[in-house]
Amino acid sequence: MEKKKTSHSAEFFRRLTKGWSSKLGLILFVLIVLVCVIGPFLSPYGINDVDVASINAGPSKEHWFGCDTMGRDLLTRLLVGGRYSLILGLSASLLSALVGSVFGLVAGYQGGAVDSVIMRFMDIWSALPGLLLCILVSAFLGPGFFPTVIALTVGNIPSVARMIRGQVLSERTREYMEASKVINCSGFSILFRHLLPNTIQPIIITTTMAIGGTITMAASLSFIGLGIQPPTPEWGALLADGRRYIMVYPHLIMFPGIIIALTVLAINLLGDGLRNALDPKLRD
Amino acid sequence: MYKYVIKRLISMIIIVVCAGIIVFTLMYLAPGDPARLQLGQWATEDVLAAKRHELGIDLPYIVQLGKFLYNTFLRFDFGISWQSSMPVMGELAVRLPRTLMIGIPSMILSVVVGTVLGIFAATHEGRLGDSLTMVLTMVLVSAPDFWVALMFIILFAAKLGWVPAFGIESLKSYILPIICSALPVMAVNARQARSSMLEVIRADYITTARSKGQKSKVIVRRHMFPNALMPIITGVAGGLCKVVAGSPVIESVFSIPGVGAYLLSGVNYRDRPVVCGCVVFFALFTSIVVLLMDLCYAFLDPRIKAQYSK
Amino acid sequence: MKKILAIVLTLALMVSLFAACSSVTQSSSAPASSTTQTPAAAETTEAAESAEASENAEAEAPAASEGRYPEVHVAVMADMEDLTPCKPNGTTRTNTFWIIYETLFDYDEKMNLVPNLAKSYEILSDTEWEVTLFETIHDSQGNPITADDVVYSVNWLVDSGNNIRYDLFDSIEKVDEYTVRYHWKDKPASTSDLEFPLCRTFIFDSDAWENNNFAVAPVATGPYVVESFTVGSTLIMTANENYWAADTDEDVSMRAAYHAANVDRIVYNTITESSQAVIGLEMGTIDFCDYVPAAMLTEFEDCGPYADQYDVLTAPSTDYYYILPNMAEENARVSEDLNLRLAAFYALDNETIAAVMGNNNVPLKSLGTAAYPDYDTAWEDEATYMNTYDPELAKDYLPQSNYQGEELVLIGLSTEECKNALTMIQNQLVQIGLNVKIQTYEKSFLLTVLEEKTGWDFYVATTGGTTLINSWTRIISQQQNAGWTAGWLKDDRMEELYAIAAADDTHIAENMKICLDYVMENGYAYGVSGWSSSIVHSTHITDICYREGYWIVGACSYQ
């Protein structure tokens, strides 16, 4: 009997969810996104409903996660904040992965003078501390959502570029590279259809790990007064607000911390699955 | 090979100078008036003008840039901090050992433990050991660093009294900062090591070695490990660059006056000599580390070495 | 082998994390009812403060070299950074510099000049004052201080470009060995105009300056000497065995009480994280801290676990938060629209705002706090927009204004307290129909934004000072921005009324009331909340000594 030909995307999805960890990651991630999108509509509280009597209240029947320093329901704020933080984290990490990959691929593949110039440029870039770059970019672009994304992107680019370049350098001499040159593949095609899938794995790991770091960096920006403005309940800002009360009202930091941990866990597991799905060596 | 190294050393100087110019320009253009920040809200315009003149910031950009480059690169004088009237070079010299006291042991700890954990997870892929390790690394990466630090302080310093909670009086005060700095990096290293080990495990030359009848242990040590090492080295090099910059969060929680705290306060006060001095220093250090890392690549991977010798 | 190692490590780390978690949840079960404690504490502090005031007027006993308390550890939030005597009003410097260095005069609580290094002064003419020094002053290394040194110190400050508020200063000259003559540009309207030249300029010996690095090891005349200074971490001082005022024959009884050295050794630890300071207190490594978060004070108060080792002193401080509208002509939507300002101010309820700002904020009933000597509590009896919350009245004012629904920008510092205040203010303004956006900035950006005449509409700020009229300088004095106030207000009548209220001869309650009424008629400011500061100190410290509202550890009483 003939084997039914499965389409590319179905195949991709099957490999993505092979293994319990990727399944868990996918489910968790989808759950978190759903909850963040729909949850606020189900909550009886608004994100700005100040209730002076419940300032810093611990978890209770009325407020499942307790209240923050202004008596606002923490759960609602977490859910709404998730929208901002998720988009912020994902877009900043993806953008820096994208830009970094382009630099790294071109540098590694072209070699020679182009490689030197790009890598030296990356060296200068990485010599500037991430926080400093963030602050300066924010200073020029002002506070707000999109400028914050740019500010958070800028710091991660050199490490991505360097990592990709390293991989490209090893892959360059492999047989399939020579093979594709022989059959006259165009430069672009070689870069994106052959090199990229093979060099992408460390990037996936660092990008997924970076999402958590991006969320925390956004919190640092809030400390300094850049980035997202109050009363927007972005997760990093919630963390920063609860910092002083760690010893008395741990729920202020526990719940945002746990949610961030779960989200990062989900993304990382998903990232693992992605890596498995994209590994050409696993293709049947 | 030597020609390559010499070329890199020359380009290193160019990089450092470029980094200096870029950060100088960024600080020049950043909004915020250092004179007003220093003298406070009460200062009148003429006092502010005198202060700006003393700081030398009322000269045109090119003149200021020229003076900066001359002082920094020809006289090795980073200038005097605007905020505190202490020479930047002197402050860096005093603070660097403290930051390194945290950074280097922390890096060694995170690399060693992280790699071990990662290899362990990779060789037990899909089983309990793997999952346990991965969950742990997840927790370490996503827990906020000051939260973990405060938890440790409460447990080890306040409750058990084994180590001091803050300050730099004794060597023991560095123990907690080292551990707290190492944990998130350890997690990243573990994941990185696991991932590259996995990649290598599935590689063809491993199948070849196995089919030739090689023992598992030998395979791991002689075939898998060196090839998996490359991304790990990149990670280590990246970490080393960050070591010298210090972590402002850890330094502020433990009240350790290191380089990270210095740079952060410099940025907050628009203290240009401090920021430029620190950045030039980091640039120098980063370039050296990256050069060493590239040489390591060449050493480990004969294919790359061949490219450099061309 | 690797397997076992990895599993052991994993388990160890997880156990430690959870153990620490559980210890935190246990400590948080203590009830956080510090608000009920504060009124009782406030009463005792008033008694303590009046005792303090009478102490300052009494004779100062010279510091006994025996019987000093051995050592005290103080937690400070910000580092002093460097000890050169030119910027005395930085955060922690107000508590530390004034026992290392000395000035010509001090202020008492009525803002009269009290001798410090100078014995007396004589007003020769409107613009000439002659100041006579004590004759037996010497610094810790034995260098005598004479008129030459005074001239040197003053000119050094002017040349270094750090001579803020020296507007009236013209020049200084030596008259004889122990007398100097100051020339002012104009007649000083009150002693507070001479605050910086006479009371904030530290005097030191010219040779000492040249031979020592004052940034880390100053040599000066005060009751304490710096033993060591690790920038960013620790400042250690020891009592000056060679203190000139301790073994002089001259009559130094009129000097302020805080020049005493009651402790042998003071160690200032810079601890920026307030939780760490609390841990330090609990572990006994710290004896004195003034920035314990209000929620943690219960641990050290009477029913807490550390009550027998520590006392808590809560005192209303003079600093307070206020809202300033942008009165620049270019920002007509606020500056030309009195009804809008009044609508906004009546819509605010500063009780709620103070509540969300934190436990140690007390809503203001008028523009100032009762901690000031020139504050008149009778002002609180009149109903003004500061002590009444009337959203209906606000909604009446709004249609009379020209507000079309534009977005108003509310700015402030990005500290937690300020952010909460801004959020609450926004909440309340939105309730009456205003469209308000919040922008928080860190300090350097904020100053840049304020220098623009547009781009912001309301600014939440703090002010303070030694007297109430002093604290109003930021709000209504047009000397701030070369002819405008900090909020770009230019109103000649306001300036007139302020000048009358500020001048020494006419500084009386009626004039201050006239000034205040004018401010409120025109909606020029809104007083939000005042702080009360809480000091947690070891029971070995029986009485806290203050200099102009700042605590001085060296001169406290010990047992």
Side-chain angles (χ1 to χ4, degrees):
Chain A
M1 186 134 78
E2 235 183 36
K3 209 165 147 188
K4 206 153 82 161
K5 216 167 166 211
T6 45
S7 69
H8 257 191
S9 40
E11 175 70 21
F12 176 76
F13 193 71
R14 186 185 72 79
R15 296 219 318 273
L16 185 65
T17 52
K18 197 154 91 170
W20 68 272
S21 58
S22 331
K23 279 208 198 77
L24 179 65
L26 192 61
I27 294 175
L28 204 54
F29 186 69
V30 169
L31 202 65
I32 291 179
V33 170
L34 268 178
V35 163
C36 287
V37 168
I38 302 182
F41 296 112
L42 301 174
S43 158
Y45 302 102
I47 56 168
N48 284 326
D49 290 350
V50 173
D51 178 11
V52 177
S54 333
I55 289 183
N56 292 328
S60 66
K61 266 202 330 237
E62 298 90 31
H63 296 279
W64 294 357
F65 279 7
C67 291
D68 69 358
T69 55
M70 284 182 66
R72 298 174 290 199
D73 180 46
L74 196 57
L75 179 56
T76 319
R77 286 181 65 83
L78 269 175
L79 294 178
V80 176
R83 299 179 191 169
Y84 293 100
S85 299
L86 282 173
I87 300 179
L88 201 61
L90 279 171
S91 45
S93 306
L94 282 175
L95 201 57
S96 62
L98 197 67
V99 177
S101 304
V102 168
F103 277 125
L105 280 173
V106 170
Y109 183 67
Q110 291 287 61
V114 175
D115 178 20
S116 298
V117 168
I118 293 187
M119 284 328 287
R120 298 300 76 83
F121 185 50
M122 289 296 128
D123 288 344
I124 300 177
W125 197 320
S126 59
L128 306 175
L131 191 61
L132 175 68
L133 274 178
C134 265
I135 296 174
L136 289 170
V137 170
S138 283
F140 291 137
L141 300 175
F145 191 76
F146 194 60
T148 310
V149 172
I150 307 266
L152 293 171
T153 309
V154 172
N156 287 327
I157 294 179
S159 48
V160 172
R162 199 174 289 138
M163 205 167 279
I164 288 238
R165 175 187 171 267
Q167 292 285 88
V168 170
L169 283 181
S170 330
E171 299 281 321
R172 227 163 75 157
T173 52
R174 297 243 187 136
E175 301 77 26
Y176 69 84
M177 289 298 300
E178 285 202 39
S180 29
K181 256 192 259 204
V182 161
I183 59 174
N184 225 4
C185 274
S186 74
F188 263 134
S189 151
I190 294 182
L191 269 180
F192 289 109
R193 275 181 56 210
H194 299 282
L195 263 184
L196 191 58
N198 286 304
T199 55
I200 211 169
Q201 278 142 20
I203 302 303
I204 295 184
I205 306 300
T206 40
T207 308
T208 46
M209 292 306 235
I211 295 180
T214 311
I215 297 181
T216 334
M217 182 82 93
S220 311
L221 281 183
S222 311
F223 275 152
I224 309 177
L226 305 165
I228 314 286
Q229 294 295 331
T232 317
E234 190 257 327
W235 286 345
L238 292 180
L239 263 183
D241 283 344
R243 176 177 171 171
R244 274 187 3 178
Y245 302 100
I246 260 186
M247 294 179 67
V248 217
Y249 303 119
H251 71 274
L252 290 176
I253 266 211
M254 290 272 194
F255 292 118
I258 292 177
I259 296 276
I260 294 181
L262 285 177
T263 313
V264 173
L265 178 69
I267 296 176
N268 283 338
L269 290 175
L270 208 54
D272 257 354
L274 257 181
R275 188 179 49 75
N276 288 339
L278 291 174
D279 189 348
K281 297 195 196 77
L282 290 180
R283 242 174 239 155
D284 292 328
Chain B
M1 200 63 212
Y2 291 120
K3 264 207 311 194
Y4 176 74
V5 175
I6 303 264
K7 268 201 303 186
R8 285 296 297 271
L9 282 173
I10 295 179
S11 62
M12 188 168 87
I13 300 178
I14 301 180
I15 291 172
V16 175
V17 173
C18 281
I21 296 179
I22 291 179
V23 80
F24 182 91
T25 312
L26 285 175
M27 288 301 288
Y28 179 84
L29 295 172
D33 180 8
R36 182 168 289 280
L37 279 170
Q38 275 199 57
L39 295 177
Q41 303 165 328
W42 304 105
T44 52
E45 194 47 46
D46 45 332
V47 174
L48 285 175
K51 191 68 175 166
R52 285 189 205 113
H53 183 74
E54 182 209 331
L55 295 177
I57 55 180
D58 50 352
L59 299 167
Y61 169 70
I62 294 290
V63 175
Q64 293 189 49
L65 181 62
K67 281 171 116 176
F68 165 71
L69 290 174
Y70 174 69
N71 283 330
T72 311
F73 295 109
L74 290 174
R75 287 173 51 203
F76 302 118
D77 173 18
F78 284 158
I80 302 209
S81 154
W82 292 348
Q83 174 63 15
S84 76
S85 335
M86 310 269 257
V88 175
M89 187 77 92
E91 262 312 288
L92 272 179
V94 173
R95 286 172 182 255
L96 192 62
R98 300 176 194 138
T99 302
L100 290 179
M101 263 297 285
I102 301 179
I104 294 185
S106 143
M107 204 188 67
I108 296 176
L109 188 68
S110 65
V111 167
V112 166
V113 178
T115 315
V116 161
L117 281 178
I119 294 178
F120 168 74
T123 48
H124 292 80
E125 189 201 357
R127 301 202 292 262
L128 183 63
D130 183 19
S131 329
L132 213 61
T133 321
M134 283 305 105
V135 167
L136 178 67
T137 54
M138 228 55 79
V139 169
L140 291 175
V141 141
S142 38
D145 34 10
F146 54 86
W147 186 79
V148 173
L150 280 169
M151 291 295 113
F152 277 25
I153 291 172
I154 293 175
L155 179 63
F156 293 109
K159 297 270 178 227
L160 294 174
W162 290 350
V163 282
F166 59 84
I168 46 173
E169 279 111 33
S170 61
L171 281 181
K172 274 181 17 172
S173 1
Y174 285 101
I175 295 181
L176 276 184
I178 291 175
I179 298 180
C180 293
S181 312
L183 288 175
V185 189
M186 187 191 304
V188 176
N189 279 342
R191 283 196 58 87
Q192 197 63 288
R194 173 184 178 276
S195 154
S196 46
M197 269 301 271
L198 279 179
E199 213 178 305
V200 160
I201 284 177
R202 298 184 189 133
D204 298 330
Y205 51 83
I206 297 297
T207 329
T208 317
R210 252 198 259 271
S211 61
K212 283 211 272 180
Q214 265 284 23
K215 281 207 257 226
S216 259
K217 266 213 189 96
V218 177
I219 293 182
V220 170
R221 220 184 322 125
R222 216 190 295 159
H223 296 278
M224 288 187 182
F225 195 63
N227 285 293
L229 212 50
M230 295 267 274
I232 297 176
I233 289 190
T234 315
V236 166
L240 199 56
C241 299
K242 294 202 168 61
V243 153
V244 82
S247 160
V249 174
I250 298 286
E251 288 179 8
S252 115
V253 172
F254 289 97
S255 297
I256 294 181
V259 176
Y262 194 46
L263 181 58
L264 185 60
S265 79
V267 172
N268 282 340
Y269 283 104
R270 304 289 185 270
D271 194 337
R272 199 170 64 210
V274 169
V275 175
C276 290
C278 286
V279 169
V280 165
F281 174 70
F282 296 161
L284 193 63
F285 192 79
T286 308
S287 310
I288 296 178
V289 164
V290 167
L291 176 62
L292 289 175
M293 180 184 78
D294 279 345
L295 289 177
C296 264
Y297 271 166
F299 178 67
L300 276 179
D301 193 339
R303 299 170 289 188
I304 298 183
K305 187 174 191 171
Q307 290 174 17
Y308 286 165
S309 312
K310 270 194 222 143
Chain C
M1 189 52 221
K2 271 192 227 168
K3 222 194 288 189
I4 302 175
L5 185 65
I7 293 183
V8 166
L9 270 169
T10 314
L11 284 174
L13 280 165
M14 289 176 102
V15 164
S16 62
L17 271 175
F18 288 131
C21 278
S22 62
S23 61
V24 166
T25 44
Q26 270 167 29
S27 63
S28 65
S29 57
S33 56
S34 48
T35 38
T36 49
Q37 303 283 350
T38 334
E43 278 164 30
T44 49
T45 56
E46 274 170 36
E49 279 196 334
S50 52
E52 225 70 67
S54 52
E55 239 178 65
N56 281 343
E58 275 168 16
E60 184 239 352
S65 52
E66 65 295 311
R68 283 200 203 112
Y69 189 75
E71 190 169 302
V72 113
H73 286 248
V74 180
V76 290
M77 192 159 202
D79 188 52
M80 299 120 238
E81 276 152 29
D82 83 287
L83 303 177
T84 37
C86 51
K87 293 173 224 164
N89 278 348
T91 340
T92 328
R93 293 174 185 181
T94 44
N95 308 104
T96 49
F97 273 39
W98 300 81
I99 48 181
I100 307 173
Y101 294 102
E102 290 177 327
T103 56
L104 287 176
F105 291 99
D106 290 321
Y107 279 121
D108 68 7
E109 16 8 288
K110 301 239 177 354
M111 295 296 275
N112 298 319
L113 293 174
V114 157
N116 189 355
L117 288 178
K119 179 153 62 171
S120 62
Y121 66 94
E122 201 185 313
I123 305 181
L124 299 179
S125 74
D126 272 355
T127 56
E128 277 179 7
W129 283 34
E130 207 163 83
V131 171
T132 314
L133 301 175
F134 284 106
E135 292 173 13
T136 49
I137 310 175
H138 55 83
D139 66 19
S140 56
Q141 282 177 357
N143 301 312
I145 304 287
T146 60
D148 283 319
D149 297 312
V150 176
V151 175
Y152 181 85
S153 309
V154 174
N155 287 335
W156 174 83
L157 190 69
V158 175
D159 291 336
S160 74
N162 288 307
N163 52 329
I164 55 176
R165 308 282 299 278
Y166 256 57
D167 316 328
L168 283 178
F169 174 79
D170 189 37
S171 66
I172 182 176
E173 61 175 345
K174 165 179 168 178
V175 170
D176 65 37
E177 187 79 11
Y178 299 106
T179 324
V180 291
R181 188 173 301 170
Y182 278 90
H183 297 269
W184 312 118
K185 289 190 187 137
D186 222 336
K187 176 177 153 110
S190 72
T191 47
S192 45
D193 288 334
L194 304 178
E195 179 188 348
F196 274 76
L198 293 182
C199 303
R200 307 281 182 248
T201 306
F202 295 122
I203 308 296
F204 48 88
D205 183 71
S206 47
D207 292 324
W209 171 257
E210 262 137 46
N211 298 330
N212 290 290
N213 181 9
F214 272 35
V216 288
V219 174
T221 62
Y224 280 91
V225 176
V226 172
E227 179 188 305
S228 76
F229 177 45
T230 313
V231 181
S233 164
T234 338
L235 170 64
I236 304 182
M237 295 186 198
T238 49
N240 184 3
E241 299 296 343
N242 201 9
Y243 185 43
W244 68 274
D247 48 26
T248 178
D249 296 328
E250 293 180 273
D251 178 17
V252 288
S253 57
M254 293 305 293
R255 298 177 78 230
Y258 57 80
H259 294 287
N262 291 338
V263 192
D264 256 338
R265 199 161 181 264
I266 311 179
V267 178
Y268 294 89
N269 287 314
T270 308
I271 305 177
T272 34
E273 189 79 26
S274 48
S275 323
Q276 277 276 38
V278 172
I279 293 176
L281 284 167
E282 291 177 358
M283 282 173 72
T285 42
I286 299 287
D287 303 309
F288 188 103
C289 177
D290 68 343
Y291 52 100
V292 173
M296 303 245 41
L297 285 174
T298 42
E299 305 243 320
F300 306 102
E301 282 169 344
D302 290 332
C303 46
Y306 299 95
D308 47 347
Q309 295 157 318
Y310 293 100
D311 287 330
V312 179
L313 183 67
T314 307
S317 89
T318 48
D319 290 353
Y320 57 93
Y321 277 91
Y322 65 97
I323 304 179
L324 198 65
N326 183 355
M327 299 298 296
E329 285 168 354
E330 292 82 337
N331 198 41
R333 65 187 184 200
V334 171
S335 59
E336 311 269 308
D337 201 348
L338 176 60
N339 288 316
L340 178 62
R341 298 199 295 279
L342 290 178
F345 291 154
Y346 272 107
L348 296 177
D349 174 16
N350 56 13
E351 303 235 355
T352 335
I353 303 178
V356 301
M357 283 170 79
N359 277 348
N360 43 14
N361 279 285
V362 173
L364 292 185
K365 302 289 170 210
S366 188
L367 194 60
T369 74
Y372 285 105
D374 47 348
Y375 181 83
D376 187 356
T377 40
W379 299 339
E380 298 177 6
D381 301 330
E382 239 179 77
T384 61
Y385 53 61
M386 284 188 236
N387 52 26
T388 19
Y389 170 47
D390 200 346
E392 297 308 317
L393 187 55
K395 287 198 193 133
D396 285 337
Y397 273 115
L398 196 54
Q400 297 173 33
S401 74
N402 302 328
Y403 182 65
Q404 303 297 336
E406 313 85 86
E407 189 180 64
L408 299 174
V409 178
L410 183 60
I411 66 175
L413 265 185
S414 51
T415 56
E416 189 201 331
E417 245 180 9
C418 201
K419 275 203 237 185
N420 283 356
L422 288 170
T423 312
M424 200 60 219
I425 294 172
Q426 182 197 41
N427 249 359
Q428 291 173 345
L429 291 180
V430 162
Q431 306 251 354
I432 61 158
L434 291 177
N435 178 6
V436 178
K437 178 169 96 152
I438 300 179
Q439 294 276 54
T440 55
Y441 297 98
E442 46 135 359
K443 196 156 153 208
S444 36
F445 281 109
L446 189 61
L447 294 176
T448 323
V449 171
L450 287 172
E451 278 167 21
E452 301 295 321
K453 291 187 180 175
T454 52
W456 62 279
D457 294 294
F458 291 98
Y459 166 41
V460 173
T462 56
T463 183
T466 28
T467 54
L468 186 62
I469 193 70
N470 219 282
S471 75
W472 285 355
T473 321
R474 272 305 278 166
I475 310 178
I476 50 188
S477 160
Q478 281 169 201
Q479 309 304 321
Q480 287 302 298
N481 265 344
W484 280 275
T485 66
W488 298 108
L489 170 67
K490 202 176 191 40
D491 183 338
D492 295 328
R493 177 87 186 121
M494 179 85 258
E495 184 65 8
E496 222 180 282
L497 292 175
Y498 173 71
I500 296 177
D504 270 347
D505 325 321
T506 44
H507 179 54
I508 46 177
E510 286 89 60
N511 289 333
M512 295 202 46
K513 178 84 174 31
I514 296 176
C515 207
L516 184 62
D517 284 341
Y518 190 75
V519 167
M520 299 224 261
E521 258 168 53
N522 289 291
Y524 285 156
Y526 181 93
V528 178
S529 68
W531 285 332
S532 60
S533 66
S534 300
I535 300 179
V536 176
H537 60 91
S538 131
T539 42
H540 291 291
I541 302 176
T542 51
D543 250 331
I544 301 191
C545 182
Y546 288 91
R547 176 196 73 84
E548 294 182 40
Y550 298 105
W551 45 264
I552 300 284
V553 171
C556 295
S557 317
Y558 292 84
Q559 61 178 18

